[in-house]
Amino acid sequence: PSHQVGLYVDYAKYFNLKKGRNISLGLKAGLNYFDINLMNMVMYEYDPFIAADPRNQTLLPNFGLGVFYFTDDFYIGASVPKLLRNTIRNRENIILGKEERHIFLTTGYVFTIDDPFWKLKASMMTRLVNGSPASLELSATAILYDRLWFGLTYRFGDAIAAHARVQVNKNLQIGYSYDLNNSRLRYYNTGSHEIFISYDFVVKGQKILSPRYFL
């Protein structure tokens, strides 16, 4: 019975340090629109609570922060996309839900096996949130001639995914991934598909770094 729409703007400032080291500081700001319509639920008998307050619509602003350190072959980062723990209430001021802070930690390294033939990118991400077990995700990606990427991702207790992408040129990337659930939910779904297209617009006179292993 709930529907959510979000609109956020992200801004990152890069600082070039010595010897190929870089650090980026990010800021996110925006809002979420929540629409909780209990009348969309299938009811087998009359519920006076739903009849008294069938719909709740709320607009919740929020902001987040992040930091990202990287070199040519290594990166590490941390972020909190939503810092405010906004509360969703009904007309009687009863709490219906709350936006919890999610903390993301990530790191990775690119191993050059046989340059320029192939490289191996190993990465890890963990998600922390109050009231839920930590989520850990490991990924390994083979990179051929800096153009063809393919690999596997394992999310402990949740899913395994296969992914691939092609660096068409310096600006354009096309990719696909398939996510197969390996928890008890696997009996109720057949996985999910994702197709993405990424294009970098470059202002005349600017240079673009290609390939980009982390950005």
Side-chain angles (χ1 to χ4, degrees):
S2 63
H3 182 70
Q4 179 183 171
V5 177
L7 178 63
Y8 284 84
V9 176
D10 296 87
Y11 176 80
K13 178 66 175 178
Y14 292 88
F15 299 92
N16 294 319
L17 307 178
K18 296 180 179 180
K19 298 181 180 179
R21 296 173 296 168
N22 307 270
I23 192 167
S24 173
L25 304 178
L27 176 65
K28 171 192 288 286
L31 50 87
N32 282 84
Y33 168 73
F34 287 90
D35 183 5
I36 302 174
N37 189 354
L38 300 181
M39 296 304 294
N40 287 334
M41 299 174 65
V42 176
M43 295 177 288
Y44 296 97
E45 60 183 37
Y46 176 78
D47 190 320
F49 175 80
I50 293 178
D53 190 8
R55 191 167 188 177
N56 184 275
Q57 297 169 295
T58 310
L59 200 62
L60 301 176
N62 218 316
F63 69 97
L65 299 171
V67 60
F68 191 71
Y69 171 85
F70 64 99
T71 64
D72 290 339
D73 50 18
F74 170 78
Y75 73 92
I76 186 169
S79 67
V80 184
K82 292 184 178 180
L83 283 170
L84 301 181
R85 300 176 70 229
N86 289 317
T87 299
I88 304 172
R89 301 174 182 269
N90 64 5
R91 297 173 186 173
E92 282 72 37
N93 206 33
I94 298 175
I95 297 177
L96 302 178
K98 182 177 290 185
E99 289 186 308
E100 292 289 351
R101 295 190 190 98
H102 289 67
I103 301 173
F104 293 81
L105 305 172
T106 183
T107 186
Y109 191 87
V110 174
F111 298 90
T112 300
I113 309 298
D114 186 7
D115 194 30
F117 176 55
W118 78 290
K119 300 172 184 176
L120 178 66
K121 176 186 174 183
S123 59
M124 180 203 74
M125 176 179 286
T126 183
R127 305 169 180 86
L128 306 172
V129 60
N130 182 39
S132 177
S135 171
L136 178 62
E137 182 177 294
L138 301 178
S139 181
T141 304
I143 306 171
L144 303 182
Y145 291 107
D146 288 329
R147 285 193 173 272
L148 178 61
W149 303 48
F150 60 91
L152 294 173
T153 297
Y154 183 73
R155 195 175 305 116
F156 284 85
D158 182 37
I160 185 170
H163 52 88
R165 61 172 149 160
V166 178
Q167 183 83 40
V168 180
N169 54 42
K170 290 184 178 181
N171 303 79
L172 177 64
Q173 283 187 355
I174 300 174
Y176 166 81
S177 69
Y178 176 69
D179 210 68
L180 181 62
N181 201 288
N182 66 348
S183 70
R184 287 181 294 177
L185 293 176
R186 67 182 179 274
Y187 301 111
Y188 308 99
N189 71 73
T190 57
S192 60
H193 302 268
E194 178 181 342
I195 298 173
F196 83 88
I197 299 175
S198 173
Y199 189 88
D200 291 308
F201 294 91
V202 182
V203 179
K204 186 176 180 180
Q206 284 187 333
K207 293 182 179 180
I208 185 170
L209 178 63
S210 180
R212 296 176 302 284
Y213 303 117
F214 313 133
L215 303 177

